[in-house]
């Protein structure tokens, strides 16, 4: 899984499909970095290729243990989470715009489609759980549009698990490149829009999009929020201004150029015919 999969832009926002670029595909083939997001001001954000290409780790397993029913992994990358769910007999599907990522997922025994989250998907409105991990809340550079799209994909009352930046109030939308810095002639893919969110910012966007907070937790230096899709039976929304007052706010704008940063987390059984996974 990558912090940068599925990054086609939301409807109405022009932009390239970035992930046919070689640096990312090459990194998946070798299972090694170094790989970065490079902001237009030159700032580099390291991506954890080795972790994404490994088996699901202990922190991943705590997330998967919270999943309900059928699971859609948005920006599945090399497929460690989809493969782990498949090994457990759980109906799961990964989507990613990278052909290399989809192929890698299939080799691990998981099901995956080469698709953007903003394109038509199988089982729309019937998924029980969706995942936006490894920074994938940044897909498309528009968190509000992405959260609205996730609500369309999930069943009423469905669960969305999002990984955020740890302990910071960041709400940043930028243009980035994928970069592999292997020598002085570093190669880069085309620019595309991206976003980074801390937990307080995610909760603000979620409240406006009609999500209900189910819970939030940290493990292994990574931070997660569980959101519940509205089903018409929920009580008053608990995502209010108290989150702003109680949150630790360190930044709401782009960080200074040439500083050092690490993106958080940037730090098979056949499904039944009724399952959205089987409905390709």
């Amino acid at each position: 899984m990558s912090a940068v999969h599925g990054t086609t832009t939301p409807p109405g926002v022009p932009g390239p499909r970035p992930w046919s670029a070689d640096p990312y595909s090459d990194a998946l083939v070798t299972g090694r970095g170094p790989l970065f997001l490079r902001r237009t001001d030159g700032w580099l954000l390291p991506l954890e290729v080795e972790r994404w290409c490994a088996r699901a780790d202990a922190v991943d397993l705590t997330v998967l243990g919270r999943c309900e029913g059928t699971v859609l992994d948005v920006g599945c990358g090399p497929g460690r989470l989809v493969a782990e769910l498949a090994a457990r007999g759980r109906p799961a599907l990964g989507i990613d715009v990278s052909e290399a990522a989809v192929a890698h997922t299939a080799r691990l025994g998981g099901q995956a489609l080469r698709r953007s989250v903003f394109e038509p998907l199988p089982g729309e409105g019937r998924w029980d759980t969706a995942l936006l991990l490894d920074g994938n809340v940044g897909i498309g550079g528009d968190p509000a549009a992405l959260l609205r799209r996730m609500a369309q994909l999930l069943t009423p009352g469905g669960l969305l698990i999002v990984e955020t930046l740890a302990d910071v109030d960041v709400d940043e939308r930028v243009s980035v490149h994928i970069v592999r810095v292997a020598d002085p002639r570093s190669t880069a893919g085309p620019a595309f829009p991206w976003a980074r969110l801390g937990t307080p910012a995610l909760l603000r966007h979620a409240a406006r999009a009609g999500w209900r907070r189910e819970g939030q937790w940290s493990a292994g230096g990574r931070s997660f929020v569980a959101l519940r899709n509205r089903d018409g039976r929920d009580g008053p929304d608990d995502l209010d201004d108290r989150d702003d007052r109680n949150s630790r706010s360190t930044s709401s704008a782009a960080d200074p150029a040439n500083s050092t940063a690490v993106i958080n987390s940037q730090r098979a059984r056949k499904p039944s015919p009724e399952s959205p996974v089987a409905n390709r």
Side-chain angles (χ1 to χ4, degrees), residues 36-259:
F36 301 84
L37 291 184
R38 185 175 68 196
R39 223 164 47 189
T40 52
D41 62 9
W43 194 53
L44 295 177
L45 296 89
L47 304 177
E48 296 185 83
V49 176
E50 290 82 359
R51 181 171 66 80
W52 300 335
C53 290
R55 295 177 61 89
D57 62 21
V59 177
D60 295 328
L61 297 182
T62 66
V63 173
L64 299 185
R66 293 174 179 254
C67 292
E68 304 168 355
T70 56
V71 182
L72 179 67
D73 185 1
V74 176
C76 68
R80 74 188 192 278
L81 302 179
V82 177
E84 178 63 30
L85 288 166
R88 297 179 175 203
R90 298 287 300 274
L93 175 69
I95 61 168
D96 203 293
V97 298
S98 164
E99 184 175 359
V102 170
H104 196 287
T105 301
R107 286 196 296 272
L108 294 180
Q111 294 192 64
L113 292 177
R114 188 182 183 189
R115 201 77 58 86
S116 163
V117 68
F118 296 108
E119 296 173 346
L121 294 173
E124 293 205 13
R126 294 190 287 123
W127 293 97
D128 298 306
T129 303
L131 303 176
L132 286 172
L133 304 187
D134 298 331
N136 284 325
V137 69
I139 286 172
D142 186 343
L146 181 58
L147 287 169
R148 289 194 298 269
R149 177 59 175 148
M150 301 308 297
Q152 295 171 350
L153 296 173
L154 284 169
T155 187
L159 183 68
L160 174 63
I161 301 178
V162 183
E163 185 167 358
T164 64
L165 293 168
D167 300 324
V168 292
D169 191 2
V170 171
D171 189 349
E172 178 184 87
R173 268 141 283 184
V174 292
S175 179
V176 294
H177 299 258
I178 180 69
V179 181
R180 185 161 193 168
V181 183
D183 56 49
R185 301 166 298 167
S186 61
T187 55
F192 57 94
W194 192 247
R196 298 195 306 142
L197 292 183
T199 298
L202 171 68
L203 293 176
R204 290 193 294 269
H205 285 291
R208 289 191 286 268
W211 292 88
R212 178 169 60 86
R213 179 175 50 190
E214 183 87 354
Q216 62 188 84
W217 69 98
S218 297
R222 298 164 62 187
S223 294
F224 305 91
V225 176
L227 301 170
R228 186 69 66 177
N229 199 13
R230 287 296 189 181
D231 61 5
R233 300 190 300 271
D234 298 317
D237 199 332
D238 71 347
L239 298 173
D240 58 22
D241 290 340
R242 287 173 295 177
D243 293 309
D244 294 337
R245 293 195 299 268
N246 295 332
S247 67
R248 174 186 174 189
S249 177
T250 61
S251 173
S252 60
D255 302 280
N258 301 319
S259 62

